[in-house]
């Protein structure tokens, strides 16, 4: 082992220990949130489950809310990263669709390193059924829509404040993503493959749903 390797080795161990501590805190927090309720769970209970101090919890998470959305934050970051890598020639909807499906294809293993997908599903249900978290969820969705609209506008060489198309397209896309997430959260098939398949099926309906004639008598006209 070289001197450089010896110097780097302790740092690597420290970083792995920090990650294990953070993951343990996150797992404990989500498990408590989903079994006894978000509002009913205290930081003391979370740190007691991991046998660390409150100070340690706040070293990794600014609040309970940040812990509640930690996995969602990881998924959103992966989606944005994938979207930035999409080929410039792809149309906006195709770029967003491909980025979403690529993100779900690669994120499952990363999620399961921290929590089970079943716990992630329970967390989604908990967020949707907790008023304070639902409000935060909607705020986060609005922030994400704005980031994606800016990315899409930049890809297309548009001014997002002058051309409404990026915001309209992203609003429709994110609406479908939220619906598919809600349906997955209510289901029984707790795996990432089922969420990816459901997302793909609903995204594939977006174009026909917007372009088609919805009138009941359309077929008989």
């Amino acid at each position: 082992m070289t001197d450089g390797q010896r110097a780097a080795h302790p740092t690597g161990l420290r970083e792995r220990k920090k990650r294990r501590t953070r993951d343990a805190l996150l797992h404990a927090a989500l498990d408590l949130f989903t079994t006894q309720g978000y509002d009913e769970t205290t930081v003391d209970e979370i740190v007691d489950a991991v046998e660390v101090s409150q100070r340690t919890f706040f070293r990794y998470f600014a609040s309970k809310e940040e812990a509640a959305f930690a996995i969602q934050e990881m998924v959103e970051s992966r989606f944005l990263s994938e979207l930035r890598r999409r080929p410039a020639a792809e149309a906006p909807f195709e770029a967003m669709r491909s980025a979403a499906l690529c993100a779900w294809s690669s994120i499952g293993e990363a999620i399961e390193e921290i929590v089970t997908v079943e716990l992630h599903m329970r967390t989604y249900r908990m967020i949707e059924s907790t008023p304070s978290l639902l409000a935060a969820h909607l705020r986060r969705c609005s922030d994400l829509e704005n980031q994606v609209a800016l990315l899409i506008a930049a890809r297309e060489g548009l001014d997002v404040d002058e051309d409404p198309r990026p915001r309209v397209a992203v609003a429709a896309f994110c609406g479908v993503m939220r619906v598919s997430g809600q349906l997955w959260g209510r289901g029984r098939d707790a795996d990432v493959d089922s969420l990816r398949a459901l997302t793909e099926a609903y995204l594939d309906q977006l174009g026909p749903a917007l372009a088609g004639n919805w009138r009941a008598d359309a077929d008989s006209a």
Side-chain angles (χ1 to χ4, degrees), residues 128-148:
E128 290 278 335
S129 62
T130 304
S132 60
L133 290 181
L134 181 57
H137 180 46
L138 295 175
R139 183 181 67 248
R140 290 174 56 86
C141 287
S142 178
D143 291 342
L144 179 63
E145 282 187 24
N146 187 58
Q147 291 183 68
V148 177

Side-chain angles (χ1 to χ4, degrees), residues 207-218:
L210 293 177
N213 192 329
W214 290 2
R215 288 177 298 175
D217 61 348

Side-chain angles (χ1 to χ4, degrees), residues 75-86 99 103 151:
V75 173
E76 291 169 357
S77 295
R78 183 68 61 90
F79 166 68
L80 289 170
S81 177
E82 292 289 349
L83 182 57
R84 292 185 183 100
R85 288 201 290 262
R86 298 311 305 170
L151 279 174

Side-chain angles (χ1 to χ4, degrees), residues 3-203:
D3 290 341
Q5 288 173 323
R6 290 191 186 93
H9 188 57
T11 302
L13 289 175
R14 283 195 296 271
E15 290 305 313
R16 288 195 294 272
K17 184 177 180 180
K18 288 179 181 178
R19 179 168 179 174
R20 285 196 298 268
T21 301
R22 183 186 186 278
D23 291 351
L25 283 165
L26 179 55
H27 190 284
L30 297 183
D31 189 48
L32 287 167
F33 293 161
T34 57
T35 54
Q36 65 185 30
Y38 173 79
D39 293 324
E40 291 74 21
T41 298
T42 66
V43 172
D44 281 336
E45 290 175 306
I46 297 169
V47 298
D48 285 348
V50 185
E51 298 182 336
V52 296
S53 66
Q54 271 204 13
R55 183 178 179 181
T56 299
F57 177 86
F58 289 114
R59 186 179 300 143
Y60 297 103
F61 304 102
S63 62
K64 288 197 310 176
E65 182 181 297
E66 186 173 301
F69 287 101
I71 299 297
Q72 185 172 322
E73 173 68 27
M74 185 171 71
V75 173
E76 291 169 357
S77 295
R78 183 68 61 90
F79 166 68
L80 289 170
S81 177
E82 292 289 349
L83 182 57
R84 292 185 183 100
R85 288 201 290 262
R86 298 311 305 170
E90 282 186 340
F93 269 122
E94 183 58 29
M96 289 188 287
R97 177 185 181 278
S98 297
L101 298 181
C102 286
W104 278 121
S105 294
S106 60
I107 200 70
E109 185 176 339
I111 292 175
E112 290 186 321
E113 288 179 358
I114 306 171
V115 300
T116 64
V117 177
E118 188 272 336
L119 179 53
H120 177 49
M121 176 184 273
R122 285 195 281 128
T123 300
Y124 194 95
R125 293 172 184 158
M126 182 267 300
I127 290 171
E128 290 278 335
S129 62
T130 304
S132 60
L133 290 181
L134 181 57
H137 180 46
L138 295 175
R139 183 181 67 248
R140 290 174 56 86
C141 287
S142 178
D143 291 342
L144 179 63
E145 282 187 24
N146 187 58
Q147 291 183 68
V148 177
L150 290 171
L151 279 174
I152 292 298
R155 283 172 52 89
E156 301 301 309
L158 303 175
D159 184 338
V160 75
D161 294 321
E162 297 293 334
D163 193 317
R165 289 176 293 176
R167 293 195 189 280
V168 171
V170 171
F173 173 82
C174 289
V176 171
M177 293 294 290
R178 182 156 186 254
V179 167
S180 60
Q182 288 174 326
L183 292 173
W184 176 76
R186 296 171 190 162
R188 297 180 179 178
D189 198 356
D191 62 67
V192 172
D193 287 341
S194 68
L195 176 55
R196 186 188 187 283
L198 185 62
T199 300
E200 185 172 17
Y202 272 70
L203 287 175

